[in-house]
Amino acid sequence: MAVSAADNVPPFIAAQLTHLLSHFRLTLKVEQMWSADKYNSGPFDRFTLLIPFCLDFIKWDVIYNAECPTVAPDVIFGPEDEDFHPFHMPSDDGTQATSCLSDWNYGDPTRLLSLVQFLRDQYVLYQRKRVGEVDDDRLKFEISTILSREGIEMHMSSGAEKPEEVKFAVPLLDMNINKMVPSCPWRYPQKIHLQVVYPVGRKYMSAPSAPRLKLVSSSELKALFSIDDVKLPPWLDGMCLAEYLPNLEEYLEKQVSEAVLSIDLRRQFIEALAIQLGRPVEADPVFCRKATFLSATGVFTFLIHFLIPTQFPKQQPTIMLQSSQHFNSQMAPLKSRPLVDYPWSPRWEPLLMADRVYEFLADEALNFKRQCSEGTLQ
């Protein structure tokens, strides 16, 4: 949600919230803003934040007193966290860090950011303490073997209508993926996490069942490779998380390296196409996932769109033709169906790939021209 004067937000709240959204190290969302006035005719002085935590979001309501702006806001936590008392907990350095409230300055746009960061840090400790108190021998053992890893977050989930379970968010790969991509456009470091969900039991079993496992990454990383396409290594009987992670990280590191190498292969393919089709009118210069060429057969001009998958060359590009002269009833240019039924082998060199594509397009362009002229395309 954008914050602006049009939102009827007091200037000091808008400044603090804008600073928070632009500097918070993880993706943070404002779900809604509203006013103390039930008719929302007054200034918006309260809002709901979606705080990223353990690969999910927790909801906190932040409530200002717009009539007394020198007072720090109240923060209302979720119904499951009634025992969360952040200012009665020791901070990471062993002290009770209340300075973010005691010397509150409503004119300082950094104050809300400091408050939310402090509360989130305390929430990490609070959830870790809750999980550590669970009466489950297997969980206690798992925690003892992985606590030395930095950045692990855990969450205890319970309720009347759902079984108790503990969720871990484990950061993977001690490698800077951003630096591996030339001209990387990503603002924040790209991370891959393993989500591990254990049901809470009361007895230690000699061969406990495997936990639920899922790889999670930011949506930006999908431009390099898709986590959904990664097949997780099997979880063997009797295995613990500390044993599972090294093999998984070795496998993932190989996957990332191959994905980076695929960028150069896609670039070579686009350059090979340019020999036959001329310089592209548009192309993705970083990940080389897209390229568009202008071509003609006689007086018929058309665009050729190439959508190149991250698993190139194992998976072939999808081709789509678009007329520059024919339009449907909504005045949208006519396009062909996605084309993948052309000669292809991942073992070919880029020049041979481009040659075979060019040969295929010579006939397909005539068919596309006829379909456009006959009006059989929509």
Side-chain angles (χ1 to χ4, degrees):
M1 176 183 292
V3 182
S4 66
D7 292 326
N8 198 23
V9 182
F12 74 94
I13 296 180
Q16 292 183 10
L17 190 50
T18 299
H19 184 82
L20 171 68
L21 296 176
S22 62
H23 287 80
F24 203 74
R25 64 184 178 89
L26 298 172
T27 304
L28 184 106
K29 300 178 181 178
V30 179
E31 185 178 50
Q32 62 175 333
M33 298 190 71
W34 74 100
S35 168
D37 183 345
K38 66 179 180 179
Y39 301 106
N40 285 334
S41 59
F44 287 179
D45 56 2
R46 52 205 64 196
F47 48 86
T48 299
L49 288 178
L50 296 181
I51 311 291
F53 173 74
C54 205
L55 304 179
D56 204 342
F57 289 95
I58 49 178
K59 285 187 179 183
W60 292 349
D61 291 334
V62 180
I63 303 176
Y64 283 83
N65 186 339
E67 296 181 355
C68 187
T70 58
V71 177
D74 288 328
V75 180
I76 310 300
F77 308 114
E80 288 189 359
D81 298 320
E82 59 183 14
D83 295 327
F84 177 44
H85 305 293
F87 293 102
H88 296 112
M89 296 172 54
S91 61
D92 288 336
D93 59 3
T95 64
Q96 292 184 353
T98 59
S99 60
C100 53
L101 291 183
S102 61
D103 60 351
W104 182 266
N105 178 1
Y106 78 96
D108 184 350
T110 68
R111 291 297 175 160
L112 180 60
L113 172 64
S114 299
L115 175 61
V116 171
Q117 284 182 322
F118 167 75
L119 292 176
R120 190 187 183 283
D121 290 342
Q122 294 298 90
Y123 192 77
V124 170
L125 298 177
Y126 162 73
Q127 284 292 343
R128 180 169 293 189
K129 181 175 182 294
R130 287 190 69 200
V131 172
E133 294 172 348
V134 172
D135 184 18
D136 185 306
D137 291 338
R138 179 192 186 183
L139 276 172
K140 291 181 182 296
F141 174 74
E142 294 282 8
I143 293 171
S144 69
T145 62
I146 63 172
L147 271 183
S148 60
R149 294 178 67 101
E150 293 186 3
I152 290 181
E153 294 182 350
M154 53 190 75
H155 181 261
M156 174 70 186
S157 176
S158 60
E161 300 180 356
K162 56 184 179 181
E164 287 187 330
E165 57 184 25
V166 170
K167 182 191 300 181
F168 292 91
V170 185
L172 303 173
L173 298 183
D174 187 16
M175 59 193 302
N176 191 327
I177 299 178
N178 295 46
K179 288 189 174 180
M180 299 174 67
V181 179
S183 304
C184 176
W186 296 322
R187 179 180 177 183
Y188 298 107
Q190 298 300 301
K191 299 292 184 181
I192 302 174
H193 288 80
L194 178 67
Q195 182 184 83
V196 188
V197 181
Y198 290 97
V200 175
R202 300 300 179 193
K203 297 180 181 180
Y204 180 81
M205 296 183 295
S206 58
S209 60
R212 301 201 307 271
L213 304 173
K214 181 182 179 181
L215 288 175
V216 180
S217 71
S218 64
S219 59
E220 292 177 320
L221 192 59
K222 292 181 179 180
L224 178 63
F225 81 114
S226 176
I227 284 294
D228 297 335
D229 294 332
V230 177
K231 185 178 180 180
L232 287 170
W235 181 284
L236 304 179
D237 291 342
M239 179 176 280
C240 69
L241 191 56
E243 295 173 307
Y244 183 77
L245 291 176
N247 291 334
L248 173 60
E249 289 189 304
E250 182 180 355
Y251 175 67
L252 270 180
E253 186 172 348
K254 180 181 178 181
Q255 294 286 311
V256 172
S257 298
E258 290 181 354
V260 173
L261 178 62
S262 183
I263 295 177
D264 192 52
L265 295 176
R266 293 194 292 269
R267 180 177 289 108
Q268 293 177 31
F269 174 65
I270 294 174
E271 291 172 349
L273 288 172
I275 297 174
Q276 299 281 13
L277 299 173
R279 184 182 180 89
V281 294
E282 189 177 73
D284 172 10
V286 178
F287 300 103
C288 302
R289 296 284 309 281
K290 299 178 181 180
T292 297
F293 296 84
L294 180 64
S295 189
T297 174
V299 296
F300 176 61
T301 59
F302 59 98
L303 295 172
I304 309 172
H305 302 289
F306 289 87
L307 303 178
I308 312 175
T310 56
Q311 294 186 332
F312 178 92
K314 294 179 182 178
Q315 293 183 0
Q316 67 193 95
T318 298
I319 304 173
M320 182 177 291
L321 307 183
Q322 175 183 322
S323 175
S324 302
Q325 301 164 269
H326 301 86
F327 304 87
N328 62 18
S329 57
Q330 287 77 41
M331 297 307 295
L334 296 184
K335 296 181 180 180
S336 72
R337 61 180 175 83
L339 304 172
V340 292
D341 52 347
Y342 57 88
W344 183 264
S345 171
R347 293 178 294 275
W348 290 344
E349 293 295 323
L351 285 174
L352 180 55
M353 293 176 180
D355 287 343
R356 300 301 295 271
V357 167
Y358 183 74
E359 293 172 1
F360 167 79
L361 288 174
D363 292 329
E364 191 62 34
L366 295 175
N367 293 332
F368 180 58
K369 176 184 178 181
R370 175 178 51 80
Q371 292 172 336
C372 290
S373 300
E374 295 175 352
T376 58
L377 295 172
Q378 297 295 325

